[in-house]
Amino acid sequence: REQARLKAGVLEEDTEEWQKDPHFTGLERVGGVDLSYIKGDESRACASLVVLSYPALEVLYQDCRMVPVSAPYVAGFLAFREVPVLVEAVQRLQQEQPQLQPQVLLVDGNGVLHPRGFGTACHLGVLTDLPCIGVAKNLLQVDGLVRDELHREQVRSLQSSGETFPLTGTSGKVLGMVSCHFYNNSSKPLYVSVGHRVSLGTAVRLVRGCCRFRVPEPIRQVSVTGETWETA
């Protein structure tokens, strides 16, 4: 019920002036968030938030803290386990250095590409009221979407970095876009979906604009931050 209540607040459209500009004029700060677990310990995790300048993609802020994770993992409800600590990280930044608040968050996970159309990027977006984009490295197989030979052939057909094709479920709804960013001869795709306060087209363009390598820089940097903390 709580998930359905929050889902009603999701906006799958551009709400900011910078989103409507082809060059994203006015966009200066892009954030990335992730929760990473230490192998063998599901009770604690490293909650990471980074903020990068745009378009230079230089790190302006990073926060990584070990936090207790008490909610159990339940398929389709991962956000209830992870989002509360990510919201806390955003709120810390807003209180301590409000001038560095990101204008959009890239989330290592899914948005409307979810069994009930409300993944982590949607959940975080609604609770923080920030534009959010889901960027996943693997296909979540929902609404008839499967990683079968046809899907693999569509991925192989992408000829250059930034090319895309839509993920259309059996319901007829476009749930996201497959986007490839070639690096070191790797063409593993990304699965981009709307989280909150952004259109799918804008989400795909911004992910493309944030890619130096295969993974967009805000998510790559937040992963590096988490890994550094875990091995420290």
Side-chain angles (χ1 to χ4, degrees):
R1 287 196 301 268
E2 178 68 3
Q3 195 175 62
R5 183 185 71 81
L6 292 171
K7 179 185 174 183
V10 171
L11 294 175
E12 297 184 48
E13 60 193 45
D14 294 329
T15 61
E16 308 301 299
E17 286 303 314
W18 62 262
Q19 295 168 330
K20 302 165 188 175
D21 185 284
H23 303 292
F24 294 136
T25 302
L27 177 61
E28 299 178 348
R29 297 173 306 282
V30 179
V33 293
D34 188 25
L35 206 68
S36 52
Y37 296 86
I38 297 174
K39 191 173 182 180
D41 184 0
E42 290 294 308
S43 65
R44 297 185 307 145
C46 180
S48 302
L49 165 66
V50 298
V51 180
L52 277 61
S53 63
Y54 189 87
L57 301 177
E58 297 175 345
V59 176
L60 303 175
Y61 172 92
Q62 54 187 15
D63 179 21
C64 183
R65 305 189 182 203
M66 291 302 299
V67 295
V69 179
S70 56
Y73 170 74
V74 179
F77 297 93
L78 178 64
F80 287 95
R81 177 177 169 86
E82 299 191 344
V83 165
V85 294
L86 298 177
V87 170
E88 288 176 4
V90 172
Q91 290 174 339
R92 257 194 317 273
L93 169 58
Q94 291 171 330
Q95 292 166 4
E96 296 172 4
Q97 298 193 60
Q99 74 280 8
L100 294 180
Q101 173 172 290
Q103 293 162 274
V104 59
L105 284 171
L106 271 59
V107 180
D108 190 353
N110 293 294
V112 298
L113 179 57
H114 178 269
R116 283 167 300 283
F118 193 71
T120 300
C122 297
H123 203 132
L124 183 63
V126 170
L127 291 184
T128 61
D129 198 33
L130 290 173
C132 281
I133 298 169
V135 185
K137 303 179 187 75
N138 296 294
L139 175 64
L140 185 60
Q141 302 188 56
V142 299
D143 195 12
L145 297 173
V146 290
R147 196 168 53 200
D148 56 9
E149 184 54 37
L150 175 60
H151 178 78
R152 288 189 284 270
E153 180 58 36
Q154 286 177 303
V155 171
R156 286 194 291 269
S157 72
L158 299 178
Q159 297 295 314
S160 60
S161 288
E163 286 192 352
T164 63
F165 66 83
L167 289 165
T168 306
T170 54
S171 65
K173 180 177 173 62
V174 176
L175 300 174
M177 296 286 281
V178 178
S179 182
C180 275
H181 302 273
F182 297 102
Y183 177 71
N184 278 354
N185 297 318
S186 171
S187 59
K188 292 181 180 179
L190 297 173
Y191 299 90
V192 181
S193 57
V194 169
H196 183 51
R197 292 179 58 187
V198 65
S199 68
L200 182 57
T202 296
V204 170
R205 286 196 301 120
L206 182 58
V207 168
R208 183 184 303 138
C210 288
C211 280
R212 287 176 172 167
F213 306 100
R214 176 202 167 208
V215 176
E217 204 65 10
I219 289 178
R220 194 181 77 86
Q221 288 291 343
V222 85
S223 297
V224 168
T225 299
E227 291 168 2
T228 301
W229 183 275
E230 289 172 24
T231 56

